[in-house]
């Protein structure tokens, strides 16, 4: 294996919602072009941690963050960091598929339209971006004749794939996913998992999941969290086969969840 | 298996409890239907008072001529064209002022404010809605009247522009509060989707929220229009009440509503003049009915979209 290259590193990350501390001293190194799963019982802070990486937590006025987060080698809290550039480089997929109330086509080019002036986006460039993004997530054949349908009319699985596809034209390096399969059925889940493997080649994926089997199947590394702390972070098979910490063992055996 | 658990439950409750429930249900139903009753009743009353004149009117004249001489000895004429023009122009101008301002404020309150500022603004806007129209009329007579005469090239201060400003101020609170509701109803997941793609807040507003909330925002605007068309006291006091076609922003005008308010007390009940004022009332009824219907259709558009 080649030398580890980290896409995201955190040091001493603490986060408070008002008075309530949701993350305690989180220090992590998340490797590039791997799938890293975030697991842990409900309320342990998985979503909160994920939402730190693109600073979307800051929407809420009452959030305080301390500590360091480096994404792609840059401190994202440095004053000269552009939030827009950060979010271009770090895409996010949400728990419930949330395509915008626009056509399939417009959903895919939405990011491009945000970051480029109208003159820089000839139709041909948009068309090419749509085709490439939809091909990459395996929707092109299904949707190429229906690019004008409202995205909210698609099946949930297609919606979620579309939500991944709309990140791709911005050429992100990291994709954050918060329980991307929790709204989907078995087939949808399998389809998304296969997609994760395909995307791993080019992107760093951080995937929150509630589903232990999924973490085991579909990740290279696994981070187990409990009450806002990282308890254990190792290669997935090691973590599941011989967990070092008793809490991890208890969790993967299903004693709390 | 002939009884559901719910039915058994019902039967075992005390008798007066059931009677009480019936009574309350009936009362609530009555309140609901009474709204229909009142609207119908008012319409029928207005119609009954105006109806005897309807067949006698020369509608071409009424709708196209500005000549309103209801008390002339020689030749009575009931042309309301200038008043219709007055009502429409003052409403249109009011909306030109109120819509950008009202929607801007709605966006600001809903998307750019939090906590204290937001609560304070909402309360102040509601206060603005609670100011009685006679007070606006006073402001029109004294404050804006003088301001217009001093700072604008207008010979008289009581004119189209003055009244439109007042109407704008009166409809802004409606546009803001209903517009804000419409924006608030847009799911937060849309905002997060846009922000996570690197949208600025303003991009989120105009690329996502405005299109998503467009039906509700349209309803807000139309209800503002309804407010402006129906307003009487403030326009009676601030327009100058001159029955002529407006040729500039600073011409005095007269509206349909103000005409009724000013003249109804002077007419003999049952006279043609009296009946003509009710016919004007019917016209207003029709206009506001259409506006409200449009607003309703707009809101329904929202439900069909989301539901
Ligand atoms: N917006 C918020 N305001 C206040 N507290 C919050 C907020 N979001 C999360 N929390 C709290 O922070 C803690 C961590 O929540 P978080 O959503 O990150 O957990 P999670 O691991 O994603 O849980 P789940 O598996 O249920 O999604 C919880 O105790 C939660 O109550
Ligand atoms: Mg979560």
């Amino acid at each position: 294996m080649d030398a580890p290259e980290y896409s995201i590193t955190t040091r001493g990350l603490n986060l408070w919602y008002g008075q309530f501390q949701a993350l305690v001293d989180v220090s992590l190194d998340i490797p590039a072009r791997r799938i890293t799963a975030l697991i842990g019982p409900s309320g342990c802070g998985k979503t909160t941690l994920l939402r730190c990486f693109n600073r979307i937590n800051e929407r809420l006025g009452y959030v305080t963050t301390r500590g360091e987060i480096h994404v792609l080698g840059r401190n994202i809290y440095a004053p000269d960091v552009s939030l827009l550039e950060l979010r271009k480089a770090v895409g996010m997929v949400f728990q419930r598929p949330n395509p915008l109330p626009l056509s399939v086509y417009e959903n895919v080019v939405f990011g491009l339209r945000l970051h480029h002036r109208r003159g820089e986006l000839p139709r041909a460039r948009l068309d090419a971006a749509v085709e490439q993004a939809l091909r990459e997530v395996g929707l092109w054949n299904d949707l190429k004749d229906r690019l004008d349908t409202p995205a909210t009319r698609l099946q949930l699985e297609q919606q979620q794939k579309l939500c991944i596809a709309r990140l791709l034209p911005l050429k992100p390096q990291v994709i954050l996913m918060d329980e991307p399969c929790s709204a989907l059925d078995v087939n949808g889940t399998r389809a998304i998992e296969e997609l994760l493997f395909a995307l791993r080649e080019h992107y760093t994926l951080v995937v929150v999941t509630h589903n232990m089997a999924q973490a085991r199947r579909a990740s290279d590394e696994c981070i187990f969290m409990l009450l806002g702390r990282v308890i254990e972070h190792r290669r997935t098979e090691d973590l599941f086969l011989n967990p070092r910490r008793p809490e991890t063992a208890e969790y993967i055996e299903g004693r709390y969840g | 298996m002939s009884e559901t658990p719910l039915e058994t439950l019902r039967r075992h409750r005390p008798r007066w409890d059931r009677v009480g429930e019936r009574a309350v249900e009936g009362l609530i139903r009555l309140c609901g239907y009474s709204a229909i009753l009142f609207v119908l009743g008012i319409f029928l009353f207005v119609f009954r008072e105006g109806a005897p004149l309807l067949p006698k009117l020369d509608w071409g004249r009424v709708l196209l001529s500005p000549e309103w001489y209801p008390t002339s000895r020689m030749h009575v004429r009931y042309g309301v064209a200038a008043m219709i023009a007055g009502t429409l122009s003052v409403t249109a101008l009011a909306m030109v002022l109120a819509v950008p301002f009202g929607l801007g404020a709605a966006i600001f309150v809903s998307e750019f404010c939090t906590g204290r500022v937001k609560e304070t603004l909402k309360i102040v806007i509601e206060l603005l809605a609670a100011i009685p129209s006679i007070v606006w009329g006073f402001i029109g007579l004294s404050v804006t009247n003088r301001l217009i005469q001093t700072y604008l090239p207008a010979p008289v201060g009581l004119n189209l522009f003055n009244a439109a400003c007042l109407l704008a101020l009166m409809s802004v609170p409606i546009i803001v509060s209903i517009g804000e509701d419409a924006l608030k109803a847009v799911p937060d997941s849309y905002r997060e989707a846009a922000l996570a793609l690197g949208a600025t807040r303003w991009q989120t507003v105009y690329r996502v929220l405005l299109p998503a909330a467009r039906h509700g925002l349209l309803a807000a605007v139309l209800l503002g229009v309804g407010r402006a068309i129906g307003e009487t006291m403030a326009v009676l006091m601030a327009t100058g009440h001159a029955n002529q076609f407006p040729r500039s922003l600073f011409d005095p005008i007269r509206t349909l509503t103000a005409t009724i308010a000013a003249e109804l007390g002077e007419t003999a009940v049952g006279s043609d003049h009296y009946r003509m004022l009710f016919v004007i009332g019917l016209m207003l009824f029709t206009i506001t009915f259409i506006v409200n219907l449009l607003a309703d259709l707009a809101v329904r558009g929202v439900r069909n979209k989301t539901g």
Side-chain angles (χ1 to χ4, degrees):
Chain A
M1 273 204 145
D2 41 11
E5 181 201 324
Y6 298 118
S7 286
I8 303 174
T9 59
T10 73
R11 291 291 173 266
L13 177 64
N14 290 280
L15 181 143
W16 291 263
Y17 289 113
Q19 300 294 315
F20 174 77
Q21 185 161 14
L23 294 178
V24 187
D25 239 350
V26 173
S27 298
L28 283 173
D29 297 292
I30 294 177
R33 287 178 295 285
R34 295 278 183 282
I35 302 173
T36 302
L38 270 175
I39 61 170
S42 197
C44 70
K46 305 180 294 291
T47 300
T48 304
L49 178 61
L50 200 72
R51 289 165 68 91
C52 286
F53 299 149
N54 66 350
R55 287 180 60 182
I56 202 164
N57 266 335
E58 291 166 27
R59 283 191 70 207
L60 308 170
Y62 53 93
V63 171
T64 327
T65 317
R66 291 272 156 68
E68 278 180 35
I69 305 177
H70 289 257
V71 172
L72 304 169
R74 307 238 316 142
N75 177 2
I76 62 171
Y77 287 105
D80 61 331
V81 158
S82 145
L83 209 53
L84 306 188
E85 291 303 317
L86 171 69
R87 288 176 182 167
K88 264 169 82 175
V90 182
M92 180 168 248
V93 177
F94 296 82
Q95 192 163 354
R96 291 219 40 99
N98 60 349
L100 294 166
L102 305 166
S103 67
V104 170
Y105 189 97
E106 282 302 319
N107 263 279
V108 181
V109 299
F110 189 83
L112 287 178
R113 290 206 196 280
L114 292 177
H115 297 286
H116 299 274
R117 273 177 285 115
R118 193 168 274 274
E120 299 169 341
L121 295 173
R123 186 76 192 185
R125 179 171 172 198
L126 296 177
D127 288 347
V130 170
E131 175 165 355
Q132 196 192 345
L134 290 181
R135 273 192 198 286
E136 216 169 325
V137 300
L139 279 180
W140 177 251
N141 285 331
D142 293 340
L143 295 186
K144 63 171 182 265
D145 303 319
R146 293 197 285 148
L147 295 177
D148 291 331
T149 42
T152 42
R153 293 234 192 100
L154 302 178
Q155 302 157 9
L156 280 179
E157 173 196 332
Q158 292 179 323
Q159 288 188 13
Q160 195 62 304
K161 284 179 170 175
L162 182 67
C163 289
I164 298 172
R166 75 176 169 205
L167 307 174
L168 305 182
L170 294 178
K171 312 229 179 314
Q173 305 200 36
V174 180
I175 299 180
L176 310 170
M177 302 191 183
D178 192 355
E179 305 198 31
C181 303
S182 68
L184 307 181
D185 62 8
V186 185
N187 291 328
T189 303
R190 188 180 311 126
I192 297 284
E193 282 176 19
E194 279 165 12
L195 179 55
L196 293 185
F197 282 117
L199 292 171
R200 174 172 60 168
E201 211 178 313
H202 303 290
Y203 308 95
T204 303
L205 299 167
V206 186
V207 183
V208 172
T209 173
H210 238 112
N211 178 332
M212 212 83 58
Q214 178 174 54
R216 202 163 179 171
R217 276 196 306 269
S219 70
D220 302 302
E221 299 206 351
C222 201
I223 298 169
F224 171 61
M225 294 181 68
L226 195 59
L227 295 173
R229 295 171 196 273
V230 171
I231 303 295
E232 193 161 350
H233 174 193
R234 293 161 72 198
R235 286 183 44 213
T236 301
E237 34 181 51
D238 296 342
L239 186 127
F240 278 96
L241 285 179
N242 45 14
R244 275 198 196 125
R245 300 280 300 260
E247 298 95 322
T248 319
E250 283 175 24
Y251 181 67
I252 59 184
E253 281 160 22
R255 285 211 216 135
Y256 40 65
Chain B
M1 247 310 305
S2 61
E3 280 183 338
T4 65
L6 199 69
E7 274 166 337
T8 36
L9 200 73
R10 234 175 206 238
R11 218 149 35 91
H12 292 305
R13 281 166 55 202
R15 189 192 173 79
W16 65 267
D17 219 18
R18 271 184 291 146
V19 174
E21 188 170 324
R22 279 275 167 73
V24 171
E25 228 179 88
L27 203 69
I28 289 173
R29 184 166 306 186
L30 198 75
C31 295
Y33 286 137
S34 69
I36 300 179
L37 217 74
F38 286 133
V39 172
L40 266 182
I42 292 169
F43 180 80
L44 284 179
F45 169 72
V46 175
F47 185 78
R48 197 194 64 193
E49 298 301 297
L53 192 65
L54 287 177
K56 289 196 251 167
L57 287 175
D58 172 0
W59 280 97
R61 272 275 173 75
V62 169
L63 291 176
L64 296 177
S65 154
E67 296 185 355
W68 174 256
Y69 296 111
T71 51
S72 163
R73 288 254 181 80
M74 318 291 295
H75 179 29
V76 171
R77 278 153 293 171
Y78 294 124
V80 296
M83 295 172 211
I84 292 180
T87 289
L88 294 184
S89 60
V90 78
T91 306
L93 184 57
M95 287 303 120
V96 167
L97 300 171
V99 168
F101 197 73
L103 292 185
I107 292 169
F108 181 70
V109 171
S110 149
E111 303 302 319
F112 293 84
C113 278
T114 48
R116 273 266 184 71
V117 185
K118 185 168 181 158
E119 291 314 310
T120 316
L121 269 176
K122 283 171 81 166
I123 290 171
V124 171
I125 288 164
E126 268 157 35
L127 269 181
L128 200 62
I131 297 176
S133 62
I134 186 86
V135 174
W136 287 114
F138 268 128
I139 292 173
L141 275 179
S142 48
V143 183
T144 46
N145 182 13
R146 207 163 306 143
L147 285 176
I148 289 172
Q149 275 178 340
T150 325
Y151 296 108
L152 293 170
V156 284
L158 299 179
N159 55 30
L160 172 58
F161 183 71
N162 188 342
C165 289
L166 299 184
L167 287 185
L169 283 167
M170 295 166 86
S171 19
V172 157
I174 294 182
I175 298 179
V176 176
S177 63
I178 296 179
E180 201 236 345
D181 284 348
L183 288 169
K184 206 164 51 185
V186 177
D188 215 32
S189 66
Y190 291 171
R191 294 182 184 86
E192 296 209 322
L195 291 173
L197 281 165
T200 61
R201 280 208 279 187
W202 173 237
Q203 282 176 319
T204 310
V205 167
Y206 82 82
R207 286 193 181 272
V208 179
L209 301 182
L210 292 186
R214 63 185 185 279
H215 296 289
L217 295 176
L218 183 62
V221 169
L222 289 173
L223 289 172
V225 171
R227 176 82 176 89
I229 289 179
E231 176 48 39
T232 307
M233 213 55 216
V235 290
L236 176 60
M237 293 164 82
T239 52
H241 204 56
N243 185 40
Q244 58 179 19
F245 285 113
R247 290 201 172 67
S248 84
L249 285 183
F250 305 116
D251 275 358
I253 54 155
R254 185 195 276 212
T255 64
L256 295 169
T257 50
T259 303
I260 300 178
E263 297 180 11
L264 193 59
E266 315 283 308
T267 61
V269 175
S271 66
D272 277 0
H273 184 191
Y274 170 90
R275 297 205 185 288
M276 186 59 207
L277 293 177
F278 277 89
V279 172
I280 294 180
L282 285 175
M283 291 177 186
L284 278 167
F285 227 118
T286 317
I287 297 176
T288 45
F289 180 75
I290 291 171
V291 171
N292 275 305
L293 196 70
L294 288 178
D296 199 50
L297 289 178
V299 173
R300 212 165 296 213
V302 179
R303 294 221 192 92
N304 286 350
K305 240 344 228 304
T306 51

